[in-house]
Amino acid sequence: MPRQSASCLPRHCLALAILLALPGAAHAADDAAKSCELGVLKCAKKPLDWGMCGKNDLLDFYVPNLPIEGDRKAAERVISALKVESSDKAHYTLEGKAQLRQLDLFLHAQKITYDSETTDFEAQGPLTYQDRSLLLSADHARGNTELETCTLEGVRYQLIQARGNGIAQVAVAHDADHATLKGASYSTCNPGQQQWAFAARELDLDRAEGVGRARDVTLRIHNVPVFWFPYLRFPLDDRRVSGLLYPEIGFGSRRGFDYAQPIYLNLAPNFDATLTPRVMSERGLMLGGQFRYLTDSSRGQFDAQFIGHDNRADDERLDGAKVPDRRWWYKWDNQTSIAPGWSASINLNRVSDDHYFEDFGRGLYSSAISLLPSSAYLAGEGEWWKLRVGGDQYQVTDPTLSGVYEPYRRLPRATLNLDKSASLFEGGLDAEFVAFDRDRGLTGQRFDVFPHLGLPIEHAGWFIRPQIGYRYTSYRLDDLAQSGNPLLTRRDPDRGVPVLSIDSGLVFERDLHWGDAAWTQTLEPRAYYLRVPYRNQDDLPIFDTQEVPFTFGQMFRSNRFVGADRQMDANNLTLALTTRMLEDATGTERVSASLGNIRYFDDQRVQMPGRPQTDFGGSAWAGEIDLHLSDRWRVVLAQQWNPNSHHTDLSTLGVQTRFGNGGLVNFSYRFRRDFLEQVDLSAAIPLAEGWRLVGRHNYALNNPLALPGDRHGKDGRTLESFIGIERDTCCVTWRLLARHWVRNAQGESDNALYFEIELKGLGAVGQKTDSFLRRAILGYQ
């Protein structure tokens, strides 16, 4: 096997023209712009699913098992041919299976001539080239190794690590960073089954700038021309490039034909913006935008939407509300690092009117937004302390909520948390100061502090965690006359109460054998005692406190209220039992079941205003069961039975089954007495290879909280339903969905039609249905 100087072969030029080329088109402008972090080249976009493609349909000259680990430049270069001739040690001819191997690089040609004085070369085909990322074949090649120029004719290429393949009539590498292709094509489909492909008369590729320019470009679907572009500019790498992103297209009964066209602006390495004109045939032109920034100390994003004239602003509404012609929304998120351990955060949200999300949101979730939060905080953190100083407020965006329910502005607000361990003890302190303000009603300040000391003792099979603390809360109130509560007579009421808790538990294990399977079963009894003496709190205001819904986990809390305005009284003992079944071979928890109850030794006297004190001896029995019957079946059940009323207070059931290739069905039932009763069925059903039927039906069996004007009253109604079909192939995915959902509390509904087509590796056009389906169908992806 003759060995020659490696400089005599054009190892870079032969691959350069294609290697720099159309792979960049696979990362269209919106992928680079919207999925990559500002200022870095690391992307967070969802990985594409090439499972339908099988192997990468490698070209027939692919050589498997070439080594890819190591430094190619340092590896030995081996040249071989059946015949090697040189008349003057300057002109070389290699004939008959001429080959070059160097680590993962493998070049093969029938005949290669080389002039070492001029570094000109010529290779006769069939010529093939392979490395760890590319396969390439050509009929003929010529060029100059010193100038790194190369011209290839009759090119076929295929990417190995990333999908993509195509042809080029002529590929010319002008230097290491610039190339031109003529009569080129690109697709991510299998070479023999190209459902879509881009064809360009000419491509100019600039690796230094990271940009490709194409002229006379045609998008072909099943070889049928669909779109023609006289000129396209696209990125060759992850550097962001200004340009048009893929549009979003949909149809809704209240918006009509809905078309949004994002325009991406790469303003600087650490600044970018997206402008999004949105045309709705029923409502008019909306302008939207997003601005992102990244500095040495800050990062953030500003989003906004504005419509100068809403054509349907004067529509009659069941609540009789009027909305302005000019409607808008904005949001600003900012994170700033000030010093080690110190940071500032800002989250501002504002909307022009309380019907905005109902009219312009694209789903049940957005129309259900009732409170829009805004906040700004300075935060510090050390080894055993945390401090936050700032404020927050909420804008009411639910037209059914009266102004009297407007949440208080908490400005300023400061919280301090200390947590320190010393020897066997764990000590801590939780403190908060808040000034509450709003346009109507009672206002004032509140100071709350809770120092506590614990002595946790934990071992493998048991634990005991006693803790004692003292909670003190004081107020400074204004406008007592506007409180509406005759019991609020003092400007500076306070409350102090000790809190004692003892949490303890045991863990028993035993081995089980069912057939050939080995299991471990646990039995975990737990006891939690809570003692909080009664303090009359009727003369304390309610600023931001709510009662936590009763659940199994809530039985182990020291306060059933969230917020400092109420501290529950307690002389309670919670008894609970949990058992688990673990599969030894996999460690999977197949069964988890828990049951618990609180025993009240004293009446529960502390309540929210208007609620009577309770005098029963025990809480509802709360149980939870989670069954992983197999990898395809799961059942989750939660139940609360109240022995005092002999009624079920809460019941939930969830069942999921998976079948076939990507098939699943979810069923859930939710009931809470005097609040809701709903059933929810969702499914993704395979119809054939690559075809799935998707759907959901969420139905309220009754509506006990029906508002005046609700045309359904307390009768049942469909909250949301949709049905659709999706087609997934190697390189194309499309979805068509028809959807109906309730858009406001008065029971008015909306209908919409969504269509999305994704050319894998290129981008998607239409409504973004993938994220919607992931939220609507548990386990969809």
Side-chain angles (χ1 to χ4, degrees), residues 631-636 654-658 664-667 777-780:
D631 293 337
R632 292 184 175 269
W633 281 92
R634 183 179 183 182
V635 179
V636 179
V655 180
Q656 182 184 83
T657 179
R658 295 176 178 271
L664 63 92
V665 174
N666 299 301
F667 172 80
I777 303 177
L778 179 65
Y780 169 78

Side-chain angles (χ1 to χ4, degrees), residues 702-717 745-747:
N702 57 48
N703 186 23
L705 301 181
L707 296 171
D710 189 334
R711 60 188 180 90
H712 292 272
K714 296 184 179 297
D715 297 334
R717 64 181 179 184
Q746 285 78 27

Side-chain angles (χ1 to χ4, degrees), residues 275-280 284-289 304-308 327-329 356:
L275 303 179
T276 309
R278 180 181 174 188
V279 178
M280 294 165 282
L285 173 64
M286 172 179 284
L287 298 179
Q305 293 176 347
F306 174 79
I307 181 169
R327 309 180 71 182
W328 48 264
W329 161 81
Y356 185 90

